[in-house]
Amino acid sequence: MSTGTVAQRLGVAAATLRSWERRYAIGPAVRVAGKHRRWLPEDIARLEEMCHLTARGVPPAEAARAARVKVAGTSKVEKDVPAAGAGQTPGGPATLPLGPVRAECRGLARAAVRLDGEAVEALLDQAIEDHGCVVAWEEIIAPTLHAAGRKWASAGERYIEVEHLLSWLVSSALRRRRKPLRPTREGVGPIVLACAPGELHSLPLEALWAALTERGLPVKMFGPAFPVDALREAVRRVGPSLVVVWAQGRPTTAADLVTAVEGVEWGVRGARSHTALLVAGPGWTSVPQAGTRRLTALRSGLDLIEQRLAP
């Protein structure tokens, strides 16, 4: 495997692998023409052992020595590691319950459990750059976030630090994605994005913001817990073509939100326009007012938005 492939698989930044090779002589045994590194199965096994030990608090130099020796069973270094709760990363085998997922997803999960922010950041940027926002979100980021949530929910809140670090870095990576992959759409009113009042979970809406930006569509993000009156005023001042409201839990102000968006007229007198409301998130599942307004996933939601914007 190449260094980039190994880095994705293990959830370690490629720069970290090169640093380990330089400092601790834990590099690939073979190089091909042009000095390209190629990692063999035994090389990768040593890296996996090093990742395992460093995640448990073993200093890198000591972990590299143990990984090179590759003693079968429990090495002396592992015996000297403090017991659970004394400086380790959270629990057990230090894995998240992912199921069948992409290799990049597994690498991201491993880096998150190790609380390796640098590696998580690099893997997120690489996933978005290689695959675009939609694939990166649906096939790599969201499965990892869901697995982190399931893990701390079933482990007595021992993994909350993993989910918080991952969520913050995902949010940062999505906001860095400002380069449109398509020409900026002309003659289209902005799309307003906001969370329902009291709703603090905004990551899926941030993914929608990044994907819309990627498609060259004008978008304004108002973020978490946006009050109804503020939404009404934003519609009046911005004159958006569409408004998308996200709710993780059932919004208590569903009817007010519909009125706040679709009950407002904007534009010059004699040619007033109305804005259409779309809703997203599991909180709207049992809301009768949602109806055909619901966006059920990022890719299909983008397609529906494109249809609504078509002349």
Side-chain angles (χ1 to χ4, degrees):
M1 293 185 182
S2 67
T3 297
T5 302
V6 173
Q8 286 187 339
R9 173 174 169 171
L10 298 181
V12 178
T16 299
L17 295 184
R18 290 189 283 269
S19 174
W20 285 354
E21 179 184 6
R22 186 173 61 254
R23 294 181 181 181
Y24 311 121
I26 190 165
V30 175
R31 287 175 183 266
V32 299
K35 298 184 179 180
H36 293 299
R37 297 170 176 83
R38 286 294 180 266
W39 301 78
L40 301 177
E42 55 267 33
D43 302 324
I44 297 171
R46 284 193 290 272
L47 287 177
E48 288 175 335
E49 178 69 6
M50 179 149 181
C51 289
H52 171 68
L53 293 172
T54 54
R56 298 182 63 188
V58 178
E62 193 173 349
R65 284 196 295 272
R68 284 197 303 271
V69 173
K70 224 170 171 292
V71 177
T74 304
S75 68
K76 180 180 183 302
V77 173
E78 288 179 300
K79 291 177 182 177
D80 293 339
V81 172
Q88 295 186 35
T89 53
T95 58
L96 298 180
L98 289 168
V101 292
R102 301 176 66 114
E104 298 100 320
C105 186
R106 295 193 180 282
L108 180 61
R110 290 189 181 102
V113 169
R114 293 199 310 271
L115 302 182
D116 187 344
E118 180 181 339
V120 169
E121 189 173 68
L123 291 167
L124 288 170
D125 286 342
Q126 192 65 52
I128 294 172
E129 182 65 29
D130 289 348
H131 305 294
C133 289
V134 174
V135 172
W137 174 261
E138 292 190 339
E139 299 184 20
I140 300 171
I141 297 171
T144 309
L145 286 167
H146 293 157
R150 289 194 299 271
K151 191 71 171 179
W152 74 253
S154 63
E157 299 191 347
R158 292 173 59 204
Y159 282 73
I160 287 181
E161 68 276 18
V162 174
E163 186 183 35
H164 277 236
L165 177 70
L166 180 60
S167 296
W168 168 253
L169 292 173
V170 167
S171 177
S172 300
L174 291 171
R175 295 183 195 190
R176 286 194 294 273
R177 185 62 166 181
R178 303 191 64 91
K179 180 177 67 175
L181 300 181
R182 301 180 185 177
T184 301
R185 188 82 62 87
E186 300 293 339
V188 174
I191 301 164
V192 164
L193 307 181
C195 289
E199 179 58 69
L200 300 176
H201 297 86
S202 63
L203 269 185
L205 199 64
E206 293 175 40
L208 178 59
W209 174 88
L212 289 168
T213 301
E214 203 173 62
R215 292 194 177 195
L217 292 169
V219 57
K220 291 186 182 295
M221 165 69 87
F222 288 92
F226 201 50
V228 172
D229 289 342
L231 179 61
R232 182 182 294 108
E233 184 65 11
V235 170
R236 187 188 66 79
R237 294 180 60 186
V238 172
S241 54
L242 294 171
V243 170
V244 180
V245 176
W246 167 270
Q248 182 79 16
R250 192 181 194 281
T252 57
T253 56
D256 293 338
L257 286 167
V258 174
T259 303
V261 174
E262 298 187 342
V264 175
E265 291 184 336
W266 50 270
V268 297
R269 183 171 298 177
R272 298 283 188 178
S273 299
H274 293 267
T275 298
L277 172 68
L278 299 176
V279 298
W284 293 98
T285 305
S286 60
V287 177
Q289 295 95 327
T292 57
R293 295 185 175 94
R294 279 196 70 218
L295 308 181
T296 56
L298 181 57
R299 186 188 301 275
S300 60
L302 285 168
D303 292 341
L304 179 58
I305 288 173
E306 295 268 22
Q307 291 171 17
R308 292 292 190 105
L309 295 177

